[in-house]
Each structure stands twice: as structure tokens, then as C-alpha cells.
Amino acid sequence: MQLPPEDRARSPRTGWTRAHWEAAADGMLAAVRPYAGPRHALIDLPGPRPSVSGRRSDGLEGFARTFQLAALRVAGAGGEDPHNLLERYADGLDAGTRTPTAERDLADGDTTSWGVITDRSQAMVEASSVALSLRLTRPWLWDRLDDGVRERAGRWLAGALHHLPHDNNWWLFPLTVGGFLAEAGIETEAAEAAVERGLAAIEQWYLGDGWYTDGRPRAFDHYNGWALHLLPVLHAHLAGDTALTAAYGDRLAAHLDGYASLFGGDGAPVHQGRSLSYRFGAAAAVWAGALTGRTPLTPGTTRRIASGALRYFLDRGALDERGLLTLGWHGPWAPLVQPYSGPASPYWSACGFLGLLLPPDHPVWTATEEPAPAERADRVRALPGPGWLAQTTAADGVVRLHNHGSDDQPRDQVTPDEPLYAALAHSTVTGPTTDLPDNHFGLETGETETEETGAQGPGAGCGVSGRGRIEPLGTGPGWAASAHRPRSGGREIPGVTVTALTLAHGADELRCHVVAGAAPGTAVVHGGWAVTGESVDTRVHTGDRPGGVAVTGAGLRSEARCVWGLTEARVHRSGAPTAFGPSAAAPVLRGVVTEGAGSLFAAAFRLDGPGADGGDDRPRAAVTRLPDDGWSLTVTWPDGSAHHAELHPGRVRVTSGPRGLRTARGGPRG
């Protein structure tokens, strides 16, 4: 991929300008061209395996998702198309819709037909990308097609209006199709009804403060930005509906106020959730705010976050030697891939190129880059909707996300923990292991989870209980809390509850857990941040600082220290790679339940990235047993500020800060 020279005057943080985005789009589109089949109808990219939907679906996915990138590139250039992109996609539209088929695999006699749209079929997703692309390029493509092609394409797209999506962000795919077909005068009544159904569906999942849950009771991830916010606000913008743009634009602005803090100083989004191979698609919501004028971010900050995200991945091997996006994070990484993902799935990251719709003279392209929120100052930001605590440090640009509310559990059952949701913490520089209890607290059960139990979450191979369904107990200045009923072997451990509290300040964390109902003598395990690399530094603290260990690797340092109830500190090595490197190690602490009514376990953790001055000062904690099965804890941070908390089984009370005291309570919700 040929990129222009960096412009460090206009873009002091990334060096990138609009020209770099255009060159990146051109390079990615040129790379997929050799894999287009007859008449460009199916783009069958190479990959380790097809998706569960089969090769025909994967070929349609290759067409639809790269079409969206081409549409943004051409529409952003005012219709200029020197590479004849639209001509090829128009030919593919013609060929693909002539004889749609239900066959999953490509046959020798038919290598052009698209799959039909049925209930909950992948074709419904791709129809959304096709419809959006046609809407963006209508003057230069759709309006110039023969009537017969428009009739066939419209009929194929209309299948999305008459079939059921999955009960999550998929409702926005018929909405996107309906928005285009209503404008094109095709099945207008059904198209408008699909738009209304989509908006009604996401309304039930809106929790306020700019956050949706994605169908399930507590499913929060990057889909908030690149689906649940992007598609409604983009529909409203393209329709010129000022009332709808205001309603969904205000929600987007509220979302961006916190979401912008989830990009690290190196450009990386937090490594959390599913479909992470969409990578820089995480920047779509940031661009959408600028496009609609509904954003709390300055133009220079907007471009810095978006360009940082794109450059982060392109600089770290997201494109292979052929210039194709891989299924993974940096490069290919199989454990990250969901069954529904095929070789072309990563091209939904095309949403991240939404900024090309802004003209070259827009302030978002002309303003000087400004620091991202993670680069400005140390900050701990509570996000009440998802039950998260975002902790950022300016010296190293690392973002840590403490999780007390996202579990991705279905409404009607409890499934095995998924580490990218159920972990206690996620970050921009680390990813979960598959065989360590990293960023996880659990009871030692003596039962190693097997394939039959289906467990795969933190500690799943270590005989450590999972979190299951997470009940948020509240968030506030520098804290977040939750409760859960630990599970082992696919079942709840009878009568046991765990109440969890994270306190954070600067780069330091204090994590507290009250275990109630477990038999005295039950062992507990608390793992810290797993970092890549081979160098391990182990230290034994003395005096009023109990045992602790530190692990270093790849420029990162992960520290864990026993504070209360935990008595043993060791380093555990992973036998498997992570998305960030070929090996990993994590500090792991261990203790024993002493009181069935409620034993407290507290530990101090710290994750430092390159450039951080770890120093020698650490938080100090004082713990007192309360007479009513509770615990009182005061932590004094190195700068002299403090948190005071009272923990009981199922409820938490936190007073934060010596200046401007605020009191908040958390307890069970009805």
C-alpha cells in the first residue's frame, strides 16, 4: 500500500491526513479485486475456513462490505471514480440478483448468484451494506441502471423487509434496507414499516447516557458505536429528517462523551467484546458525530482518534502480504474468530471510513490534531449504562476498562463465561488468555471445565468458578461495583454470592470481593493483568506491604499485591498465545475463606505501559470488620486522596475523595 508522506504540522499525533485515508481505501479495494468472480458478483477471499453460512454467503459478504468501502470513497469524492469502482459493483449487482439461490456452496455452473434472504440469514446483513452503498452513490450508480436491473435488485433487497432478523442489532439491517427502498419508491409501505420496526426494537434496549444493550439484558461492546448508533443516525441524516437526527444524534453525542475515552494513546480501541476483527470500524461512531454535528469532540480530536485507530492496525499487520484484511486483531488470530465470521468479515471495518463523506475543507480534515482524551490527563470515568469504569493514564496512553455490568448473557438462561465480556477488566494493550485466571476472581472448585460443560471464560481450564450473570450495583467517582453467583460445571455453586468493588485512581486499582456462603477453607484465586513477554520480575514486599509480584513484557508491567485475605502471590505462565503476542504471564493471588457470613479479599493491581513512571509509592489500605457481616475499607492513594467503602454481601456504599465528598450507594435491583 502506497501512502503519502506524513504531515506532522497538521497531524502532530499520527501524521495522517485525508490523503492517507483515501490511499488506504484505494489500496484495500485494489487488493480484493483479484478475488472477484465472474462479473464481480461474488468476491471469494482466501481464508482458513468458510463461515457457518457457506462460501456463497462469504462471497456475497466480500461484495457487500467492500462495496460499502467503495461507496464511501466515491461519494466522498463527489462522484469522482477514477478507478471505475462503481462500474464493477454495478455489474456485480446485475449478475448477483438474476437468479438468487438457496444453495450454500458455489457450483461449477453458477458462480455469480447471490443467496436469497431468509429469516436470520447472513444475506440480510449484507443486504444492509448493499442498500447503504446504493443510497450513498445513488446519482452515480442506481439512477443510471437499467430498469430491469433496478427491478431485480429491488426485489432481492426487499426480502429483508419480509423476514425476521435476530433479536438484537440485526433489526437495523431491515431498517437500513427500508430507508433506501422507501427513497427509491420500491415497496414503500413495507420499507417504511421496516424503519419503524427497527427504531422500535432498539428503543427497548436504550438505557440512557448514550448506551444501548445489544438485545440481551447486558451485552455491551463496540456494536454500540458501529451499529446501534451509526445506522439510525446515518439513516436520519441521509433522509434529511431533522427531528430524527436530533433524537438519535443527541444519543450519539452522549455516547461519544464517554466512548472517546476508550481509545488508547497508541490509537487502539479497548480489546473487549465480539467481532473484534472489524478493528478500526470502532471509529465509525466518532466520524458519525462529526458528520451530523452531534458530537462533544473537537474536529482535531475526532481526526486524531479515527486516524489513530486506522493507523494502529495498519502498522501492526492487519493487512497480510497481499493487502487483505485478516481475521484477527493485529494479524490473524483464530481464537478471536466467531463461527459467523468468514474471510471477508473484517471488511465491515469499512464503516470506519465514514469520515470520507466529510468534504476536504471540513474542519475535521483541516484542523490541527489534538490529543485524544487518554493522552490529556489521568482520569477515571464512570460509565453507568454498561456498569464500566474507564481508567486512563496520560504518560503511557493506556486505557483500562473495569467491568461491573457487561456479561452478554441471554435473557432465559446462563451460558459459560466469555472472557471478552466476563473478565473483571479489559484494556487497549492486553487481551485475555485461554488458560489463566487473568483479570478474574473465583473460587477454586477442583473441577476443571471441559468441552462438555462448554465453559471458556477466565479460569475455565484452571478449576476456578465463573461469574455467570453480573448484577451491577452502581458506579461513581473512581468506583464501580457488582454482584454475581459463582458457577462451576455449568451450575451455580449453591448458596454462594460474590460482591465485587473496584476502586481506581491514577494507574492504581484496588479490587475487593466479599464472598458469602462458602465453607471456611474454600480457596479463592484473583488474577491480574496478563502481559506478553518472557521476562518476569518477582518481588516479596515487607513491613506493611504484604506479598506481591510483578510481571514485565513487551514494554508493559503488571503488578499485583495482597492487601487483605489474600496471602500467596505467584506468577502463572500461559501455554497459549494471546491476540497481542505468542506468550503471556500474569500475577495470580490466592487466599482462603475464613468466615462463611462474608470473607473479604482485597488486592492492589497496576498496569503500566511504555513511558509510565511506576515509582515506588502505592496505595495504602486500612480494613475494619463491621458487626453486621460487613467490612469497612479506606484506601489512601499516593497523592493523598482517598476512597472509603463499606461492603456487605449484595450491597456497597462508597465515599470518594477528601475534597468535595460524594456518597453513593449500590444494592440489589428489583
Side-chain angles (χ1 to χ4, degrees), residues 222-233:
H222 293 295
Y223 274 91
N224 256 269
W226 67 46
L228 291 161
H229 280 290
L230 175 65
L231 295 179
V233 80

Side-chain angles (χ1 to χ4, degrees), residues 526-602:
H526 196 343
W529 297 97
V531 300
T532 59
E534 298 297 332
S535 174
V536 176
D537 165 38
T538 304
R539 299 185 301 157
V540 178
H541 299 297
T542 59
D544 63 348
R545 298 174 64 184
V549 290
V551 185
T552 60
L556 304 175
R557 186 175 189 278
S558 170
E559 180 182 307
R561 179 167 56 86
C562 302
V563 171
W564 188 271
L566 298 159
T567 57
E568 178 185 304
R570 294 183 178 179
V571 171
H572 289 204
R573 291 187 181 276
S574 172
T578 76
F580 289 81
S583 62
V588 178
L589 310 179
R590 191 174 181 273
V592 176
V593 171
T594 58
E595 302 180 54
S599 287
L600 173 69
F601 300 93

Side-chain angles (χ1 to χ4, degrees), residues 587-633:
V588 178
L589 310 179
R590 191 174 181 273
V592 176
V593 171
T594 58
E595 302 180 54
S599 287
L600 173 69
F601 300 93
F605 294 89
R606 185 180 175 105
L607 175 66
D608 287 320
D613 179 12
D616 294 324
D617 291 338
R618 292 295 180 267
R620 302 185 307 276
V623 177
T624 303
R625 189 69 161 100
L626 298 175
D628 54 351
D629 296 330
W631 296 86
S632 172
L633 180 144

